[in-house]
Amino acid sequence: MTKHPLTTATCIIVGASHAGVNAAFALRKEGWAGKIVLIDSDPRLPYHRPPLSKTYITSNDPIEKLALKPEASYTQDDIELLLGVTVTQLDAKAKKISTYSGDELYYDKLILATGASPIVPAISGLTDAHNLFFMRNLEDSLGIKVAIHQSPNKRVVIIGGGYIGLETAASLKKLGASVVVLERENRILARVTAPEMSAFFLQLHEAHGVKIVTEKNVSAITTDAGVNKVHTSDGAEYLADIIIVGVGVRVNKTLAEQVGLTIENGICVNAQARTSNENIYAIGDCSYHFNPHYQRHIRLESVQNAVDQAKIAALDICGKAQDYNALPWFWSDQYDVKLQMVGLSSGYDQIIIRRENTTEQKFSTWYFAGDELLAVDAINNAKAYVFGTKLIKTNSKINKINLANAQYELTQENLLTTD
């Protein structure tokens, strides 16, 4: 009698961050009784990434608090962890992976959760800089914590004014650092939000003593006696005991390229997270998928996408196919401000800023393309975030006049048009 394939097959997952870990446990939940091997080059027990630029820098919490799952959970679900192991080769015909140490492992199903790596800009002297960090993994965060406490002057230059850079700036200010953010564009967060939101975060950081300088292109870094000097193309110079780079990421696609998987802005997948090879899936930051709500292909760097795609891949592998149709959401914590974002704002032609009748910093930015609500950015306003999510999902037509007037509460009765 032939055994059911779910009891005899092997699923290998390359990458043990949010996507890979959730895929492993989802496989067990959905009925995969065969072998599960979870591999990552990071030697540490898989951990949460978002706190690295937020609360972890300023806390004294032990590393164990960052763990995605307790170590015992992997044993309980019979998930084999291979940590500190780098996969160097993929052979799709033989359904085999090879590691840096020369080991070979065979799979029936393979999930690529390889994520992305920080871009290292072509700046003269960058890699020779003292106390240089890319805020991407736990080692970066630990290194920054040590460096900031050992530095008597605590002068920090952050190259890149995106969310990671700004979150790190906020965290380091709490530790007494002198922080300068250098942004190449004409405003911070230029690629991800509206000018009004950029202006808000600029004012927020400046109020806390962070110096933000836009339209600054870093051209070189010189280092002498442990002190860095950051040079910009307009001749300006900034002293830095610590340099943090956050200018974006590149998809880790080497394995996908080795076997000829379809790649565009990431590893292309269908609605079940399957690649152009029927036995290989790609999930999380490395995957490029079609979003039915926005009717276009996107690649998302978010915990939400990683977790949701992990479940979709596990379902398909276990013969329970479902289409991926999640609405993107994100968040950012800076000082006493919590930003919650839902949807994708690109393509908007109108924004409405709703300021609540309160003494707190509490408002929301609503992005429209014509009458369609695309996205909502909510500052210290969970209600706007939740209600906006519902309106986007249902493609509701909104009374914009009422929306802009905080005298009208955020209710369906007040905001939906009767046309």
Side-chain angles (χ1 to χ4, degrees):
M1 180 178 176
T2 303
K3 291 185 177 180
H4 192 281
L6 296 189
T7 67
T8 60
T10 295
C11 182
I12 293 178
I13 304 169
V14 182
S17 190
H18 293 85
V21 168
N22 278 276
F25 284 92
L27 280 167
R28 281 288 182 248
K29 180 181 177 182
E30 300 303 333
W32 183 270
K35 191 174 182 180
I36 299 175
V37 183
L38 183 58
I39 306 174
D40 201 287
S41 58
D42 194 319
R44 298 185 183 276
L45 191 69
Y47 51 87
H48 286 276
R49 305 273 172 157
L52 297 181
S53 59
K54 302 181 180 79
T55 56
Y56 185 68
I57 291 180
T58 59
S59 77
N60 294 315
D61 290 339
I63 293 172
E64 289 73 22
K65 287 201 71 173
L66 287 176
L68 285 168
K69 297 277 187 180
E71 190 169 4
S73 296
Y74 297 92
T75 303
Q76 182 179 332
D77 274 24
D78 194 20
I79 296 168
E80 182 179 350
L81 274 177
L82 297 181
L83 302 177
V85 174
T86 301
V87 178
T88 56
Q89 293 290 328
L90 170 58
D91 184 339
K93 290 183 179 179
K95 297 169 74 172
K96 176 183 71 174
I97 62 165
S98 302
T99 69
Y100 180 78
S101 60
D103 293 329
E104 296 181 342
L105 293 86
Y106 291 84
Y107 65 85
D108 295 278
K109 298 293 181 182
L110 175 68
I111 300 177
L112 298 177
T114 49
S117 297
I119 292 172
V120 180
I123 298 172
S124 174
L126 176 66
T127 55
D128 296 323
H130 181 65
N131 284 335
L132 172 70
F133 302 98
F134 296 82
M135 182 54 79
R136 191 65 184 173
N137 57 35
L138 182 55
E139 293 307 314
D140 288 322
S141 191
L142 289 170
I144 292 170
K145 289 175 75 165
V146 171
I148 202 70
H149 287 298
Q150 291 180 344
S151 172
N153 295 314
K154 294 180 170 56
R155 293 169 300 193
V156 179
V157 169
I158 298 175
I159 302 174
Y163 284 118
I164 296 295
L166 296 179
E167 288 167 359
T168 305
S171 297
L172 292 177
K173 282 304 296 184
K174 292 180 181 179
L175 297 177
S178 171
V179 182
V180 176
V181 177
L182 302 178
E183 170 55 48
R184 185 177 61 181
E185 304 296 330
N186 61 5
R187 61 184 175 93
I188 56 174
L189 304 172
R191 292 180 292 276
V192 293
T193 195
E196 290 80 0
M197 289 296 289
S198 295
F200 169 78
F201 279 104
L202 174 65
Q203 294 167 5
L204 175 69
H205 281 272
E206 289 182 336
H208 283 83
V210 173
K211 183 177 181 179
I212 294 179
V213 191
T214 57
E215 297 185 273
K216 286 289 184 179
N217 187 44
V218 177
S219 56
I221 294 171
T222 54
T223 304
D224 183 33
V227 177
N228 307 299
K229 187 178 288 185
V230 181
H231 306 263
T232 58
S233 56
D234 60 359
E237 298 176 349
Y238 302 87
L239 293 177
D241 304 296
I242 300 166
I243 296 175
I244 299 169
V245 180
V247 296
V249 298
R250 288 194 178 96
V251 171
N252 293 327
K253 56 185 180 179
T254 301
L255 297 178
E257 288 175 334
Q258 288 176 0
V259 295
L261 299 183
T262 303
I263 298 171
E264 291 184 31
N265 184 28
I267 305 171
C268 296
V269 297
N270 68 3
Q272 290 76 46
R274 198 180 324 118
T275 70
S276 51
N277 182 301
E278 63 178 357
N279 295 311
I280 303 177
Y281 295 73
I283 58 176
D285 292 8
C286 69
S287 72
Y288 187 57
H289 68 278
F290 183 76
N291 184 284
H293 184 87
Y294 294 99
Q295 287 293 299
R296 61 187 176 91
H297 285 82
I298 56 176
R299 188 180 67 80
L300 296 174
E301 298 162 24
S302 73
V303 172
Q304 166 269 318
N305 180 62
V307 173
D308 288 345
Q309 279 194 322
K311 294 175 182 176
I312 290 295
L315 284 166
D316 194 64
I317 289 172
C318 294
K320 305 176 182 179
Q322 288 185 18
D323 288 354
Y324 182 49
N325 189 22
L327 191 64
W329 56 265
F330 317 83
W331 82 96
S332 180
D333 296 318
Q334 299 172 45
Y335 308 108
D336 58 349
V337 166
K338 186 171 191 67
L339 167 64
Q340 293 171 287
M341 301 161 276
V342 61
L344 300 173
S345 62
S346 59
Y348 74 91
D349 54 28
Q350 180 187 10
I351 63 170
I352 291 177
I353 299 178
R354 177 186 170 91
R355 303 188 184 279
E356 305 299 337
N357 295 322
T358 174
T359 56
E360 300 176 276
Q361 287 183 317
K362 189 175 182 181
F363 70 94
S364 49
T365 303
W366 301 65
Y367 300 82
F368 291 87
D371 289 330
E372 180 187 0
L373 177 62
L374 298 176
V376 177
D377 294 346
I379 296 289
N380 296 331
N381 195 339
K383 185 174 183 180
Y385 166 76
V386 172
F387 196 64
T389 301
K390 180 180 178 181
L391 295 177
I392 295 170
K393 284 183 176 179
T394 55
N395 288 309
S396 300
K397 191 173 181 182
I398 298 169
N399 186 320
K400 296 179 182 179
I401 294 176
N402 289 1
L403 173 63
N405 188 344
Q407 291 184 347
Y408 293 93
E409 290 188 24
L410 290 173
T411 65
Q412 185 166 317
E413 181 181 7
N414 286 338
L415 293 193
L416 296 191
T417 65
T418 57
D419 295 346

